[in-house]
Each structure stands twice: as C-alpha cells, then as structure tokens.
Amino acid sequence: MIKHIAMFKFKAFDSAKDKKNYQVRLKSAFKGLDERIPEIKSLQIGFDILHSEASFDFIVNVDIEKLEDLPVYANHPEHVKAVDIIKEMAVDRKSIDYEF
C-alpha cells in the first residue's frame, strides 16, 4: 500500500464566514471521492485545530494500493476539481508518499 499525505497552508481569509464557506466547499469536493475514484482505498481530510505557528491548515490523507495507481488518482478529473479549489487559497504545500 502507498500512503499519500498532502498538507496545505492557506492565505488569510477576509472573514470567519469566508473561511467556513471555503471549508464547506473543500469538504464537499472531497466527499465521496473514494467512491468515485477506484484507486483510493482510504481517504481522510482534516482541518487544523491548534493553529500553531508550525501548523498547516488542511490535510489530505489517502491510501492507494500500488505506486502505479498514484498518478491515476492524481490526474483523475474528480481529484483535479478538488485540487482546483485548494489552489484558490493555498500558499504552501508539503507532501509525502511512502509504502507501508
């Protein structure tokens, strides 16, 4: 199995309402993605709750069966739609892919 983890920092939101609306859009974009993309074996997303200096704002945690399936997942049109929403606010991204 391959674990893909991507973390994102977002630019500042104009208001708490804008931040909440954006989070709702992200949740919606990722909801059911594991059902629409067969290569995904497990999917978790989450928003930071500590808001420390070292924190990132959003994480995507995906399990894929084999390394060859990672680009299939990454380029799937449903995933690309979710990534486009992330790109609206992302100012930094870190990722790791490892076998477990």
Side-chain angles (χ1 to χ4, degrees):
M1 293 288 279
I2 304 298
K3 174 75 72 178
H4 168 73
I5 300 172
M7 301 185 306
F8 303 90
K9 283 195 181 202
F10 298 137
K11 56 187 162 187
F13 291 89
D14 291 333
S15 68
K17 182 179 178 181
D18 287 347
K19 181 178 181 178
K20 185 66 176 166
N21 288 340
Y22 183 73
Q23 288 178 341
V24 168
R25 288 180 58 217
L26 274 180
K27 285 180 189 177
S28 177
F30 280 92
K31 185 175 182 176
L33 211 58
D34 51 341
E35 297 166 4
R36 296 189 302 276
I37 303 176
E39 289 74 20
I40 297 175
K41 302 306 175 197
S42 173
L43 169 69
Q44 295 175 318
I45 63 167
F47 297 95
D48 179 56
I49 57 173
L50 292 181
H51 310 292
S52 75
E53 185 95 8
S55 294
F56 275 66
D57 298 306
F58 181 66
I59 188 167
V60 178
N61 183 347
V62 178
D63 293 340
I64 305 280
E65 192 165 330
K66 54 188 189 272
L67 188 59
E68 304 83 52
D69 290 339
L70 197 54
V72 176
Y73 153 74
N75 296 306
H76 192 283
E78 293 293 321
H79 177 255
V80 171
K81 287 181 195 176
V83 168
D84 287 343
I85 294 171
I86 290 172
K87 287 180 177 179
E88 292 175 14
M89 295 301 291
V91 294
D92 195 5
R93 175 184 184 268
K94 302 291 184 212
S95 68
I96 186 169
D97 300 283
Y98 64 91
E99 197 169 25
F100 69 101

